[in-house]
Structure formats: C-alpha cells, structure tokens
Amino acid sequence: MSTSVGHRFDGQVVLITGASSGIGAALARKFANEGAHTVLVARRVERIEALAAELTATGRRSAAVAGDVTRDGDLERAVDVALKEFGRLDVAVANAGLLTTGRIHNLTLDDYRRQLETNLFGALRTVLAGLPALQETRGRLVLIGSLLGMISAPGSTAYCVSKFALNGLSDGLCHELAPYGISVTHVMSGFVDTEIYDKTTLRRPTQKWIQLSADDAARQIVTAVYRRKRCLILPWPTKLAILLQRHFPQVVYFAINRAFRKATRQREAEAAVQTGKTAT
Ligand SMILES: NC(=O)c1ccc[n+]([C@@H]2O[C@H](COP(=O)([O-])OP(=O)(O)OC[C@H]3O[C@@H](n4cnc5c(N)ncnc54)[C@H](OP(=O)(O)O)[C@@H]3O)[C@@H](O)[C@H]2O)c1
C-alpha cells in the first residue's frame, strides 16, 4: 500500500548533513513537509538552529547538532541525538560538501585532502555512524553525488575525484546493505543554484533550462528516497550528458577540450591585460 504525498515519512527520523544551506536545508524542509522529524548537522550552528526552530513551529520536531563531517565522532554524536530525542533513525543523508576549483598547478595536496575529507570521508563517516540505527529500522541511506562524478571537468578535478569515489561507494553499498533491508540512493545532480558556487571562480550558467532550484531538487530527491531508487539523475540535461559520456565518450571529450582551451585563451588574454595595466 502506498502512502499519500505529504505523509510519506510520517513519524520517521531523518538526519541530514550540510543542512545549513542549499540542497540540505531544502531537503530538511521537504522531509518535514512529509511528516519527518529531522536532525540537522552543519558547522554554522546559528543557521541550523534557526531552521530547526522554523520546522518545529510547523509541528515537526527538529534538533540542530553542531558538527563537522571531517571530524571523527561528530556524526556518532548526531546519531545519538536522533536516538535520544526521537528514539530511532530511518534516513541518513550524506549531503555536506564543498567545491574546490583550480587547476593542478594551483592546488596543493592539502586542497585535495580537504576536498576528499569532506565529500568522501564525510559521507563515509555519515554511513558508518548511521548504520547500526538504520539496520534497526531497515532504513534508507542517501549519498549526494554529482554529474561531476561521471564526467570529469578540468578546473574542478579535485571535486570530480571526490564525487567519482562516491559512485563506487554507492554501487558497492547497495549490494552490501541489501541483506539488512537498507536502501542506498545515489543522487547525481547537475547544476543546482546554491551557495556552493559563491566561494569559487565558477560562473553560474545563464541558461535556465540546465539548472534547478534547491527546492525542486529536494522534491525529486525525497520521492526517489521514498521509492528506494538506487540512482537519481537530475535535471534532465544531466541524463543526456551521462548518456553521451557512456555511449559517445569522444564527443564529450571533444566538447570539454574545446571549452577548456577557449577558457584558457580567455584567461591568458585577461592576464595579459592585467599585466599591461600594472606595468603602466
Ligand atoms: N549545487 C550544485 O550544483 C550541486 C550539484 C551536484 C551536487 N551537489 C552537491 O550537493 C551537496 C550540497 O551542496 P549545495 O549545492 O547545497 O551547497 P551549499 O549550499 O554550499 O551547502 C553545502 C553544505 O555543506 C555543509 N558543509 C560543508 N563542509 C562541511 C563540513 N566540513 N562539515 C559539515 N558540513 C559541511 C555546509 O554547512 P556549514 O558550512 O554550515 O558547515 C552546507 O550546509 C554537496 O555535496 C554538493 O557537492 C551540488
């Protein structure tokens, strides 16, 4: 028997990392709309406390837990809060992430470490901390990956490495956790308009049709999680890109190479103008 939209997670408990902005905050609101109690984890504690208060005011319970996914023990503490406050854990969403941009010559080993520590090991910490409680409820795991876990983009290679790794993690975990009744949903998203781009040099695309709002992404993710889908690719142009990569990798290589060389020429021209200005 299926449950009606608006009640699909009634009484369930959902833990979300990176709930202080973007997709994580939108997911918290959407899960709460579907009847869930939420545990919100992030470093910007004032933001998750405000969100927890907002959700509590709508009639769902919510707890904010200051936590850093790169730190051992923080996720275990968040799961403890879920169990102490709400008595169970049904869904754990490994969403926290950052986007490191820059080419290999401009990045250090520590930049790569920070990227992997957050996007890959942060997700692993969420999985490991959540597993015992999820086994009790035959619950759901969600890994927020990216289109850049299927297609590597120059200038975002560190990020791509972290998201490619999530691919391997989710595919293997699906099999390993099936006997325990735990589903794994891997979300591969294209462009979603969030703060993640604010700290980078990347320009947001101007074409509306290739982007999603965080609310739209959250709506689709919650439905996929409810249905225990193994993989969700969104929005539709992302599906097209992955299809091309699978069947015509040379076409994708050519397109990326062309765009990259154009960007390099533009960068060099801008640098030359800058140098000229400094010299005068
Ligand atoms: N936006 C896109 O186009 C897009 C596309 C594909 C995939 N994604 C993925 O979606 C996820 C969410 O990103 P977003 O776009 O919603 O960006 P966002 O608005 O910048 O949100 C990132 C979240 O991650 C949290 N976070 C970062 N480092 C953390 C750490 N060490 N410990 C705990 N929390 C941490 C941030 O919280 P605090 O800073 O408060 O800790 C924030 O809540 C990321 O995994 C991202 O890679 C995004």
Side-chain angles (χ1 to χ4, degrees):
M1 204 176 69
S2 72
T3 311
S4 60
V5 174
H7 298 278
R8 291 181 293 184
F9 288 90
D10 258 348
Q12 295 198 23
V13 178
V14 181
L15 182 149
I16 304 164
T17 68
S20 59
S21 62
I23 298 169
L27 278 173
R29 291 192 178 95
K30 189 63 196 156
F31 274 116
N33 281 342
E34 293 282 354
H37 308 303
T38 49
V39 178
L40 314 176
V41 185
R43 294 164 304 177
R44 286 172 295 177
V45 70
E46 65 297 338
R47 287 219 190 180
I48 47 174
E49 279 175 350
L51 181 54
E54 174 195 320
L55 300 180
T56 306
T58 67
R60 306 296 172 201
R61 294 170 66 203
S62 182
V65 181
D68 184 333
V69 298
T70 68
R71 233 172 21 208
D72 291 342
D74 281 14
L75 272 312
E76 281 76 6
R77 203 163 40 77
V79 171
D80 277 351
V81 170
L83 298 179
K84 284 199 184 107
E85 295 279 323
F86 308 124
R88 56 190 289 148
L89 179 68
D90 297 278
V91 183
V93 187
N95 165 75
L98 60 89
L99 167 58
T100 304
T101 54
R103 300 179 185 186
I104 189 76
H105 292 98
N106 308 112
L107 295 181
T108 63
L109 197 54
D110 273 344
D111 293 322
Y112 271 81
R113 273 207 189 99
R114 200 166 67 96
Q115 182 67 91
L116 290 172
E117 202 54 69
T118 307
N119 291 14
L120 172 61
F121 289 102
L124 256 175
R125 285 188 183 91
T126 311
V127 171
L128 291 172
L131 267 186
L134 291 174
Q135 268 174 227
E136 294 289 316
T137 53
R138 301 177 76 77
R140 294 163 163 88
L141 265 174
V142 188
L143 302 179
I144 306 295
S146 169
L147 165 65
L148 297 185
M150 288 297 285
I151 299 175
S152 202
S156 305
T157 307
Y159 180 80
C160 295
V161 170
S162 72
K163 295 296 184 181
F164 266 71
L166 281 189
N167 247 335
L169 181 66
S170 68
D171 279 1
L173 288 187
C174 280
H175 299 290
E176 291 182 18
L177 298 180
Y180 301 93
I182 301 173
S183 56
V184 181
T185 300
H186 180 205
V187 178
M188 277 192 249
S189 176
F191 183 84
V192 183
D193 194 3
T194 70
E195 292 175 19
I196 204 165
Y197 297 96
D198 292 351
K199 292 179 211 123
T200 74
T201 48
L202 291 183
R203 293 194 189 115
R204 288 171 159 82
T206 46
Q207 308 92 321
K208 286 282 170 221
W209 58 275
I210 61 167
Q211 44 182 296
L212 270 184
S213 69
D215 286 344
D216 281 341
R219 189 174 42 76
Q220 294 186 45
I221 293 169
V222 168
T223 296
V225 175
Y226 174 70
R227 293 182 181 155
R228 294 185 185 270
K229 275 186 83 164
R230 270 197 293 121
C231 180
L232 171 69
I233 303 172
L234 74 165
W236 69 266
T238 307
K239 283 188 189 153
L240 190 65
I242 291 176
L243 208 77
L244 275 173
Q245 169 71 7
R246 284 238 169 96
H247 300 288
F248 305 99
Q250 288 304 337
V251 173
V252 176
Y253 176 85
F254 178 76
I256 292 178
N257 191 252
R258 220 174 136 212
F260 182 61
R261 280 189 302 166
K262 189 175 161 196
T264 305
R265 279 197 303 275
Q266 209 168 327
R267 230 165 75 141
E268 283 166 0
E270 279 165 15
V273 171
Q274 256 336 94
T275 318
K277 270 192 194 147
T278 324
T280 52

